[in-house]
Amino acid sequence: MSDQIIAVDLGTRSTKAVCLDKDGEAIRLVSYTIQDRPDFGKVLSRDALSKHLNAVVEALNPKTNQVILVVGAADSIICHAEMPAIGASEMRKMVKLNPKLYFQEDLPNYSFDCLVLHQGNNAKPVGKQIPKAKTLIVGVKNQLLKNLQNAADAASLDVKQVTASQTGAANCFLMSPHASQDMIVALVDIGFGHSTISLLENGEITLTRVVNIGADKFTSGLAEAMNITYSVAEGLKQIMPEKVNAQLKTLIAPLCSELSNSIHFFEQQQDKKVSEVYVSGGSARSSYIIENLQSELHLPCKSWDPTISLKLKFTGAQTVALQQESPQLTVAIGAALTWFKKNLAAIDLLAEEKEEAEIRSRDPMKRGYAVAVGLIALMVAWYVGLLIQANQRVKLAEQEAGQLTGLQQSFSEADAYLKGTARTENTLSALDELSATRFLWAPALNALQYIVVDNFQVTRLQIGQNLVEIAGSPDSTKKSGPRPAEYIQQTVFTIQAQSYAKPSAAESFMKAIEDSPWFQTNLRKDRPVRLKESQAAQTDLSDTNRIIIPFTIECYAERKL
């Protein structure tokens, strides 16, 4: 429980608010404020009420945001009933199920709270009969509760209770030194539009009534009777009541009559006498009103200070101002005291809502819902994780695809470079081969061009060359040392030719090759020249009068390099 609480009495004409805290064992009045209610006579919207609450709390300058809101008699309904002496929760359910039994009308959209005032002789069970208890039942519209909570939320306030003004004055009085345990007193809290009458016996509230008579009727009736403005009538009532003695006495008479009837009813029911009457509210500042009440009731009537039970730390000027304004703070102080004193009669119109919230918190299905929500949250988290991983994988794949594209481009460039290099190497190899072989073939071609035979024509010449390596001897025991490897150039001439004479000129051509000096030097010893093929004579297509004999010869030359 917080050591500091705010109580806001949302009156009809003005809002009274106090801030109390614990100061050791004592309760201290930290600050208070009285502010006119905006848009008097109209139902405040959520935003207007929120701004009003903000202004009130700002004036208090508290250290807490926990607040008790007090609704006035105009916004609540109240009745007394004898109910079974059961728990408050069961009582509320009974009223909720059958409000017409207690209020003589159906109230489908109301919230209720019940307060056991006094348990008499009927409180003892007789057999199976459930004992009865005198109970105060208070109700308020659900829409009003919702508007108050929404406005408080908008003002960043934590609403701990919503209570009714009917018990505020009684709770405040029970904490004062005037509340003797062995006396019966009547309390009259005169509000702007209503007045609350409470009878206290031995520190317990035994009767509470609300009458539609308040300071507004005194002032407006006085203004109408004297044909003056409302503000002038208020000034006369407070400053010079003797000037309006007759009119004011007439206006106070209905309240005196209601109070007298309440006291008489109590005395008849309880066979006990009321000893004193204590007056609070703004009108308690007028000694003339109190004197009129006393003369009509024939009972001692006095005003009392609601801050008498509180610890005060105010300057001299602040103390004087507080003494003038404190009668209006009675309800707000009484509501705040219930936060610290649990023995006081507390009405909490949020009790039904709190009970339902507690039942929901104990509901086993709620745990199932919580587990289901947790599992769903895990599934969502897992799914989101998978989406994130998939997104990362997609990005990684895109990066790798980009890298692969780059590598493919690099590979294509390298492959093209390698192919170009291979082509260059092939060209160089062919050039090297050409540069090497052209010098090997030159002597043979040169020797061949000087061989001339009559009636002979070469049609095709094919030359094949090969280098044959003859391995050397590694034997180093010989005086000549190891013999190095040798290379022999082998050249094969395949000559296709045709002869225009008979017999064929093939033999003459072969003899001419053998007689050539180069061929004599380079032809091999074994069958250096041979007739590979000789065909039958045939007509020359270019000259039908001439006969040709095609033949093919091969020459084998060797040269040591």
Side-chain angles (χ1 to χ4, degrees), residues 343-400:
N343 61 321
L344 294 177
I347 290 288
D348 186 4
L349 295 167
L350 295 177
E352 287 185 28
E353 182 178 323
K354 292 177 181 178
E355 185 179 11
E356 291 175 359
E358 185 178 356
I359 292 173
R360 287 194 299 270
S361 67
R362 295 198 304 264
D363 186 359
M365 289 299 295
K366 185 177 181 180
R367 298 180 182 176
Y369 297 148
V371 172
V373 170
L375 291 175
I376 292 172
L378 288 176
M379 291 293 292
V380 170
W382 175 71
Y383 178 69
V384 171
L386 289 180
L387 287 180
I388 293 173
Q389 291 181 1
N391 189 33
Q392 292 175 346
R393 297 286 176 83
V394 169
K395 290 183 179 179
L396 182 60
E398 291 176 352
Q399 292 176 356
E400 292 181 348

Side-chain angles (χ1 to χ4, degrees), residues 272-285:
K272 297 177 181 178
K273 294 292 184 180
V274 175
S275 57
E276 291 179 312
V277 177
Y278 288 89
V279 184
S280 61
S283 296
R285 294 175 295 180

Side-chain angles (χ1 to χ4, degrees), residues 3 34 39 44 72 148 171 244 252 306 354 374 407 434 441 470 506:
D3 288 338
I34 301 175
D39 296 332
L44 295 182
L148 291 176
N171 285 327
V244 289
I252 296 173
K354 292 177 181 178
L407 291 174
L434 177 63
W441 293 348
I470 300 175

Side-chain angles (χ1 to χ4, degrees), residues 70 82 125-126 128 161 218 220 232 257 263 280 285 348 360 394 458 460 473 517 538:
V70 185
E82 280 198 351
V126 179
K128 295 183 180 180
Q161 292 179 10
F218 302 158
S220 58
V232 173
S257 176
I263 293 174
S280 61
R285 294 175 295 180
D348 186 4
R360 287 194 299 270
V394 169
V458 176
R460 187 170 184 271
S473 174
Q538 52 187 277

